[in-house]
Amino acid sequence: NLIYYFYRLTLLTFIIYMDFNKLILKWYDKNKRNLPWRKTKNPYNIWISEIILQQTRMQQGVIYYNKFISRFPNLKSLAKSDEKDVLLLWQGLGYYSRARNLHSTAKYIYNELDSDFPETYENLLKLKGIGDYTASAIASICFEKKHPVLDGNVFRIISRIFEIYNPIDVSESRKIFKKKALDIMPKKRFGDYNQALMDFGSIVCKPVSPLCTSCEISSLCVAFRKNTVTKLPVKSKKIKVKKLFFDYFLIRNNKKYLIERINEGIWKNLYQFPAHTSKTKKNKKTLNKFFSKKFLHDSIEMELINSEFIEHNLSHIKIKSRFWLVSNKINIKDGIFTEMLDQYPMSKLMHKFIEKYGSKLSIS
């Protein structure tokens, strides 16, 4: 029985290997999405699109890609730009390390590699901000190298086709999925094939309510045949979300507000009002003491602007924020006072506050 089972599994795998990529490419030729970066094989454009699409939905990604390419049409323009301008354009996308890495890598390729974009998977991996997925995407799409991409769509498709219950968020499982993904790749059209899987996962083999009944490869799908599609893919654990309290301090001087550059953390190199961060909610007295010490001032008169917390949720952090307006004058030598806050890159949380209270406080 064990030999018979192994024989059937081997035969099934062989059949899938033979037919799967042909059906996927056939589907892609009929149904591929009309996306702006598919009009070129320029590695710069593909790189920008892939970095933007990390943690970003396609509709929003297209908008930002067009804005980004319009502002920085080539590697040189990005390399020669100021990081502040890159971050300003990136506002709203989140995960700002992506923008910082883009800028850093553009400068490296321009200055150290004489603008020659690496063509191999191995050399692409050496670049800051480029991991396995992005390196595979660029190598296959731009240079027709045989490297499978592994994103959420591909994990989902492969887990269902082969009914693989190994958790996709465990490093050991990546080896299993990568081998399967490599084995079922076609003999050519590697870039088209990888993009086909991305499209197929977004349009047909969706996370919720997949279109199994009209799926052209359902005959090869073990999970479909065994009615286990909704159970796959498997994740080992949920992300632990921590709660943080942010209290912002608005110091005004002749219609201008004090802002500071953030030196570390998720919003590194963005700008914000001076802030106090804590794992617990602090009372007014504690905050007054903190800011008095920060600005070397004996007593600070502060008034709460928002009676309810302004909340902002990230993948691993839930932020509850309050904003305090200082009514007495504080002399500060160092720092940026500006009335044009839109000239400085800021987090989405800051924009939420400005959108709700900006007009009352003469903030633009």
Side-chain angles (χ1 to χ4, degrees):
N1 289 337
L2 186 60
I3 295 175
Y4 176 70
Y5 173 78
F6 180 76
Y7 169 77
R8 282 195 62 188
L9 182 62
T10 304
L11 181 61
L12 173 64
T13 303
F14 177 75
I15 292 172
I16 293 175
Y17 287 176
M18 292 293 291
D19 295 338
F20 178 79
N21 54 56
K22 294 178 183 177
L23 291 173
I24 285 291
L25 283 169
K26 183 180 178 181
W27 177 89
Y28 181 69
D29 289 337
K30 292 180 181 177
N31 302 283
K32 65 180 178 181
R33 292 178 289 190
N34 181 22
L35 302 172
W37 48 87
R38 288 184 177 166
K39 298 174 183 178
T40 178
K41 295 289 185 181
N42 188 322
Y44 172 77
N45 296 71
I46 303 304
W47 172 49
I48 297 300
S49 70
E50 291 298 338
I51 298 300
I52 286 177
L53 288 174
Q54 293 172 9
Q55 309 294 334
T56 303
R57 292 185 178 183
M58 182 62 71
Q59 186 177 4
Q60 186 184 32
V62 170
I63 295 171
Y64 273 86
Y65 171 84
N66 288 330
K67 285 166 56 180
F68 204 91
I69 293 299
S70 177
R71 178 67 178 80
F72 307 113
N74 50 46
L75 183 72
K76 181 179 179 180
S77 61
L78 180 56
K80 292 287 187 179
S81 67
D82 189 286
E83 187 190 75
K84 176 186 167 186
D85 295 329
V86 178
L87 291 171
L88 199 60
L89 198 61
W90 201 266
Q91 286 183 124
L93 274 180
Y95 298 92
Y96 290 91
S97 60
R98 293 182 294 168
R100 294 192 296 269
N101 289 336
L102 267 179
H103 188 238
S104 176
T105 297
K107 290 194 293 184
Y108 175 79
I109 297 174
Y110 180 76
N111 294 316
E112 304 298 328
L113 303 182
D114 197 26
S115 296
D116 289 332
F117 219 99
E119 296 186 10
T120 67
Y121 168 83
E122 292 75 17
N123 286 334
L124 285 164
L125 269 183
K126 296 176 183 178
L127 299 176
K128 191 174 183 180
I130 292 185
D132 172 71
Y133 167 78
T134 306
S136 297
I138 296 172
S140 62
I141 295 170
C142 304
F143 307 110
E144 282 301 325
K145 306 293 185 182
K146 190 175 183 178
H147 288 283
V149 295
L150 282 179
D151 72 344
N153 290 312
V154 180
F155 273 120
R156 187 165 60 254
I157 293 169
I158 292 178
S159 69
R160 289 171 175 175
I161 289 292
F162 292 100
E163 198 185 29
I164 300 174
Y165 284 94
N166 299 69
I168 64 174
D169 54 347
V170 175
S171 57
E172 284 299 313
S173 298
R174 292 189 66 87
K175 298 176 183 178
I176 298 171
F177 280 95
K178 190 153 192 176
K179 185 180 185 307
K180 289 289 187 185
L182 183 61
D183 287 342
I184 58 178
M185 287 190 79
K187 295 181 179 180
K188 56 183 180 179
R189 295 185 67 188
F190 306 126
D192 283 347
Y193 174 74
N194 280 334
Q195 292 179 97
L197 287 180
M198 298 177 206
D199 278 11
F200 192 81
S202 296
I203 299 171
V204 179
C205 197
K206 300 183 292 183
V208 180
S209 303
L211 310 180
C212 295
T213 55
S214 59
C215 174
E216 296 183 27
I217 62 169
S218 60
S219 60
L220 302 177
C221 183
V222 177
F224 175 70
R225 191 173 70 249
K226 296 173 71 172
N227 197 28
T228 57
V229 171
T230 57
K231 297 180 181 180
L232 296 163
V234 173
K235 289 187 178 180
S236 63
K237 54 188 176 182
K238 293 183 178 180
I239 298 175
K240 291 184 178 179
V241 179
K242 63 180 180 180
K243 185 186 293 184
L244 290 177
F245 292 84
F246 282 38
D247 284 278
Y248 291 96
F249 205 56
L250 278 70
I251 299 177
R252 184 166 49 190
N253 187 350
N254 296 326
K255 295 185 178 181
K256 295 182 178 181
Y257 285 90
L258 176 66
I259 58 174
E260 296 178 332
R261 191 167 182 244
I262 305 169
N263 295 319
E264 59 184 5
I266 55 174
W267 292 327
K268 181 181 177 181
N269 294 349
L270 299 187
Y271 292 80
Q272 65 180 11
F273 302 123
H276 175 276
T277 305
S278 175
K279 293 181 181 179
T280 58
K281 180 182 175 182
K282 300 301 181 184
N283 59 35
K284 186 175 181 179
K285 184 178 179 180
T286 301
L287 293 172
N288 198 308
K289 184 177 179 180
F290 170 82
F291 286 115
S292 294
K293 184 178 180 180
K294 178 179 175 69
F295 296 111
L296 303 176
H297 202 277
D298 293 335
S299 180
I300 294 176
E301 298 172 15
M302 47 195 287
E303 179 185 352
L304 184 62
I305 298 171
N306 55 310
S307 56
E308 295 183 359
F309 284 110
I310 294 178
E311 297 188 356
H312 185 62
N313 298 325
L314 303 174
S315 59
H316 58 296
I317 304 173
K318 182 174 183 179
I319 298 173
K320 299 171 80 70
S321 61
R322 294 179 298 182
F323 293 79
W324 302 83
L325 181 64
V326 177
S327 54
N328 56 328
K329 188 173 182 179
I330 301 177
N331 294 317
I332 299 171
K333 294 181 181 180
D334 298 323
I336 302 169
F337 277 92
T338 180
E339 58 182 348
M340 303 296 291
L341 295 182
D342 58 355
Q343 298 299 310
Y344 294 84
M346 293 182 171
S347 68
K348 199 168 185 178
L349 172 57
M350 290 290 290
H351 283 284
K352 284 182 180 179
F353 168 76
I354 293 170
E355 184 178 332
K356 189 169 184 178
Y357 296 98
S359 58
K360 297 179 182 178
L361 301 169
S362 299
I363 297 176
S364 60

